[in-house]
């Protein structure tokens, strides 16, 4: 079963010699790869890097500097391929594997990498406030990007060939136009195997190579809509949230969520009081939800 509310704590390790402790810490911690979200850049993650280096001294932390700011609107598959090319050498140089921390839109990019890369060696995949089940909400981001649209009519743009060239439209999931989403979504519907996908079996096999999936989100996020999308919950056609354990994706185990839960490797960490732009700089979120999975 999956575990709600992950709590992390620094494990005390008594070493007779300080030098031995430091040496052990340096060699024990796996590299961490951070993938940013919409309109972010690598410089936005200095707090998270500090938290990691403070709790896991000597960890090699890489924030991938690609598709920054407005370039984050590029199509999702294009970003997957770009990030994959940048990350693959880090994996190849890490015999014991790497950890992923993937924020917001970056969490969906990381899912694309994990699904399509057959020889990845990702141990913990930490999805930090990412719209894993899609996005459907009137947020400031929506008003900025598409001032002439609201959530109820954005499907007119998103579910077209032109719309699918914009990243957010690749995971726009309108619960009132399900058929259009299934037929038009070039990214999320394929990644979720919600429409026939000849690669679905292989993608599931690849995804299940991860050792832990940690899904972090909270009710005061203000951007991910519904916020439960960060933990694979989503609206039905009445805009009532259906939690992960009752989602068809989970029940049919289409890409491995139920398998991960059965293994004890699916963790849900919900933290109230955190706004969307603060997840990666909130020290409590790091210690409670992430720290223990980065060994």
């Amino acid at each position: 079963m999956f575990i709600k509310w992950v709590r992390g704590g620094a494990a005390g390790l008594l070493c007779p010699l300080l030098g031995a402790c430091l040496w052990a810490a340096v060699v024990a911690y796996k590299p961490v790869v951070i993938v940013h979200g919409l309109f972010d850049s690598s410089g936005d993650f200095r707090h998270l890097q500090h938290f990691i280096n403070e709790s896991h001294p000597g960890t090699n932390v890489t924030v991938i500097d690609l598709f920054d700011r407005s370039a984050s609107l590029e199509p999702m598959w294009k970003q997957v391929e770009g990030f994959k090319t940048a990350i693959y050498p880090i994996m190849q140089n890490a015999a014991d594997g790497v950890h992923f921390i993937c924020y917001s839109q970056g969490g969906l990019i990381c899912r694309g990498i994990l699904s399509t890369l057959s020889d990845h060696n990702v141990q913990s995949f930490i999805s930090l406030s990412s719209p894993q089940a899609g996005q459907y909400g009137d947020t400031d981001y929506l008003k900025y990007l598409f001032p002439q649209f609201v959530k109820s009519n954005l499907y007119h743009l998103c579910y077209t060939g032109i719309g699918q060239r914009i990243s957010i439209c690749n995971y726009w999931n309108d619960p009132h136009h399900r058929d259009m989403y299934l037929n038009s979504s070039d990214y999320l519907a394929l990644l979720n195997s919600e429409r026939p996908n000849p690669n679905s079996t292989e993608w599931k096999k690849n995804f299940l190579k991860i050792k832990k999936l940690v899904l972090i989100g909270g009710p005061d996020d203000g951007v991910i809509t519904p916020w439960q999308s960060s933990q694979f919950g989503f609206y039905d056609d009445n805009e009532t949230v259906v939690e992960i354990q009752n989602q068809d994706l989970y029940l049919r185990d289409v890409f491995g969520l139920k398998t991960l839960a059965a293994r004890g490797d699916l963790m849900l960490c919900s933290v109230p009081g955190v706004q969307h732009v603060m997840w990666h700089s909130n020290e409590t979120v790091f210690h409670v939800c992430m720290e223990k999975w980065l060994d």
Side-chain angles (χ1 to χ4, degrees), residues 41-59:
S41 73
S42 58
D44 297 324
F45 293 83
R46 60 188 182 279
H47 293 293
L48 182 54
Q49 288 179 279
H50 173 72
F51 300 152
I52 296 169
N53 289 139
E54 200 170 48
S55 66
H56 293 67
T59 300

Side-chain angles (χ1 to χ4, degrees), residues 3 20 27 67-68 75 78 89 92 112 116-117 159 167 244 282 294:
I3 300 172
V27 300
F67 298 102
D68 292 357
K78 179 177 180 181
Q92 287 183 306
T116 58
L117 188 58
Y159 298 152
S167 65
I244 179 175
N282 187 301
L294 298 178

Side-chain angles (χ1 to χ4, degrees), residues 257-271:
L257 289 178
K258 195 172 184 179
T259 297
L260 286 169
R263 283 175 14 192
D265 294 332
L266 176 57
M267 317 296 173
L268 309 188
C269 191
S270 304
V271 184

Side-chain angles (χ1 to χ4, degrees), residues 142-150 153-154 157:
L142 181 64
K143 294 169 188 173
Y144 172 75
L145 288 171
F146 311 110
Q148 69 274 40
F149 291 99
V150 292
N153 65 11
L154 186 58
L157 170 64

